[in-house]
Amino acid sequence: MKDRETFASRLGFVLISAGCAIGLGNVWRFPYIVGQYGGAAFVLLYLVFLVIMGVPIMAMEFSVGRASRSSIATSFHKLEPQGSPWHWYSWFGMAGNYMLMMFYTTVAGWMICYFVKMGRGDFVGADAAGVGAQFDGLLANPVTMLIYMTLVVLIGMGVCSLGLQKGVERITKVMMLCLLLILFVLVIRAVTLPGAGAGLEFYLKPNFQNLMYDGEGRFRLGEAVFAAMGQSFFTLSLGIGAMAIFGSYIGRDRRLMGEAVNVAVLDTVVAFVAGLVIFPSAFAFGVDPGQGPALIFVTLPNIFNAMQGGRLWGTLFFVFMSFAAMSTVIAVFQNIIAFPMDKWGWDRKKSLLINLFAIFILSIPCLLGFNLWAGFQPLGGSVLDFEDFIVSNNLLPLGSLIYLLFCVSKRGWGWDKFVAECDAGEGIRFPRWAKGYMTWVLPWIVLFIFAMGYWQKFA
C-alpha cells in the first residue's frame, strides 16, 4: 500500500489549515457583522465563543484525521466500534465540501474579477451609483461569471494536481505569506487616513450599549450572541472534515490542542486586522460599516476612488481578497480529491479530472441564480443563499456535533482515545477537566446554534 503523503513542515500544516479557515468569512462576513453589532464589544463576544467552542472542536477534527491517517472518507470507519453507524456521516460531510464549493467558486470569481477591474481602472471616476451598477452588471452577466468561476476551478485543481507538498503546501504557503504582507500594507494606509481615528475607536473601544440595542433602541443581545456563535463555526470551517484531512497529513510530534490554537489565532488575527483596514477607511469617508456584502463590492471600491493612489490600494485589496478566497478553495479541493483516493483507491489524476468536471457543473446553478434563474428562489432567497444556508446553518453545526459526540461518547471513539491522540507529542495538552463540559454542555450549545439558524431563517 502506498505511504500516505505528509506535509514537509509544521509551518505548512499551520498555514494551510489556517488558509482553509481564512476566507471570505474573515474579510467579508466578519467585518460587516462586527459593524452591525456594535464593534469591539462584539469582537470580545466572538473571541469567547471561539475559545470555548471553535478550538476544542478543531482539535477533535485534527485528532480524528491523524489517528485514522485518512480523510473523512474512511476516518470514522477506522476509529468507530465495530457495527456502529458513525461512518454514515462521511457522505454528509463530503456533501458539505461540494456544496460549499458550489457557491464559493462563484464568489471567489467575483474577487478575481474585481482585482482585474480595479487594476485596469474600471472604477476610476465612478460614483457610488456607478460602482453599484458595475456590480449589478456582473451579476446579470452569466458569461462573465462563468469565465471567472472556471478560472477559479482550474487554478484550484491545477495547484492540487501538483501534489500535497509541491502543490498545495508550497503554493498555499506563498499565498498566505503574501496575504499577510498585503494586509499589513493596507492597514498602514487605512489607519493614516484623515478621520480614521473614529473608525479605530468604534472597532477597538467596546460599546456594550451598541451590542445590546440596535439603532432603533430594540434589545438584541440574544441575536448578537447567536451571531458570535455562528461566526465562530463559519470562520473555522468545522464539521465537514475540511480540517480532519490536514490532521491526517501530520506526525505525532506536536499536541493537537496547541496546533488548533495556532490556527485559530492566525485565523482571528487576519479577521481582526481586516477590520483595521475596513473600519478606518469607512469612517474616514463617512460610510456605514454595517451595510453587508455591498461594503466589499460597492462601497470599498468607491472609497478607494476617493483615496490618493486609490487604484493601487484597491488592486492590492482585491489581490488580498483573491488570495483569501483561493486558499480556502485549494484546501477544500484537496479534501474533495482525497475522498475517492481514500475510499476507492483512485489515483490523484483520476480523482482530479472527475472532480474538476463535477465541481464545474455543480457551480453553475449559483451563478445562474443571479440572472437566468433569478425567478427560482428556494426558501425565499437566491440559489447562493440556499446553498449557504444548507452549509452554514446545517452541515457545519450538525457536523461539529457529530465530531464532538464521536470523541466523547463511549459508543464512539471515546474520550480516552481522543485525549491520548490529541496529547501525543509536545505542546499544549487538552484540558482533562473539560470532559464534563464537552460531554454535557457543548453539545447543547451546538444544538442551540442549529435551532437558532432555523428560527432566524423562518420566524
Side-chain angles (χ1 to χ4, degrees), residues 90-369:
S90 64
W91 297 104
F92 293 95
M94 187 47 53
N97 286 268
Y98 279 103
M99 186 156 282
L100 177 61
M101 290 298 101
M102 284 167 66
F103 66 90
Y104 213 96
T105 50
T106 293
V107 181
W110 295 348
M111 301 303 170
I112 297 176
C113 177
Y114 261 59
F115 155 65
V116 173
K117 289 170 75 69
M118 187 66 72
R120 69 188 182 194
D122 286 4
F123 300 119
V124 173
D127 57 11
V131 175
Q134 290 200 44
F135 183 56
D136 291 340
L138 172 64
L139 298 184
N141 190 331
V143 175
T144 299
M145 285 204 290
L146 180 65
I147 290 170
Y148 283 104
M149 181 273 284
T150 303
L151 184 61
V152 168
V153 174
L154 291 176
I155 291 173
M157 287 296 180
V159 171
C160 291
S161 71
L162 300 175
L164 181 68
Q165 288 188 15
K166 294 181 179 180
V168 176
E169 181 176 0
R170 183 177 63 182
I171 294 173
T172 303
K173 278 167 67 173
V174 172
M175 221 165 35
M176 289 295 296
L177 293 173
C178 289
L179 180 153
L180 295 172
L181 176 62
I182 293 170
L183 186 58
F184 176 72
V185 172
L186 288 170
V187 167
I188 293 175
R189 180 66 190 106
V191 299
T192 55
L193 288 169
L200 290 173
E201 182 177 357
F202 173 82
Y203 191 48
L204 302 178
K205 183 179 179 181
N207 187 326
F208 293 97
Q209 184 75 11
N210 288 348
L211 179 69
M212 293 187 292
Y213 298 94
D214 64 17
E216 298 178 2
R218 291 175 296 195
F219 186 75
R220 63 167 185 186
L221 181 59
E223 182 183 333
V225 168
F226 169 67
M229 287 179 170
Q231 180 64 16
S232 70
F233 272 111
F234 188 91
T235 190
L236 294 178
S237 303
L238 300 173
I240 56 174
M243 289 296 168
I245 181 69
F246 302 121
S248 74
Y249 295 135
I250 58 173
R252 304 183 83 238
D253 55 324
R254 300 292 305 183
R255 293 180 178 133
L256 295 174
M257 185 63 174
E259 303 300 76
V261 169
N262 290 335
V263 172
V265 166
L266 185 53
D267 173 80
T268 303
V269 165
V270 171
F272 180 78
V273 176
L276 292 177
V277 176
I278 290 171
F279 288 103
S281 300
F283 275 78
F285 292 94
V287 169
D288 175 15
Q291 59 185 292
L295 180 69
I296 300 295
F297 296 108
V298 179
T299 304
L300 282 177
N302 200 48
I303 288 175
F304 291 129
N305 272 343
M307 285 185 189
Q308 186 175 1
R311 185 172 168 183
L312 169 63
W313 301 116
T315 302
L316 284 176
F317 178 79
F318 283 105
V319 170
F320 162 68
M321 293 292 285
S322 298
F323 282 170
M326 288 306 304
S327 66
T328 301
V329 168
I330 292 168
V332 177
F333 277 6
Q334 174 64 22
N335 197 21
I336 288 173
I337 290 168
F339 187 91
M341 293 172 66
D342 291 342
K343 188 78 173 175
W344 301 302
W346 292 6
D347 60 32
R348 179 173 287 271
K349 182 179 180 180
K350 178 180 178 181
S351 181
L352 188 141
L353 291 175
I354 291 176
N355 278 297
L356 186 154
F357 178 75
I359 291 172
F360 173 79
I361 296 299
L362 291 170
S363 298
I364 291 175
C366 177
L367 65 89
L368 293 181

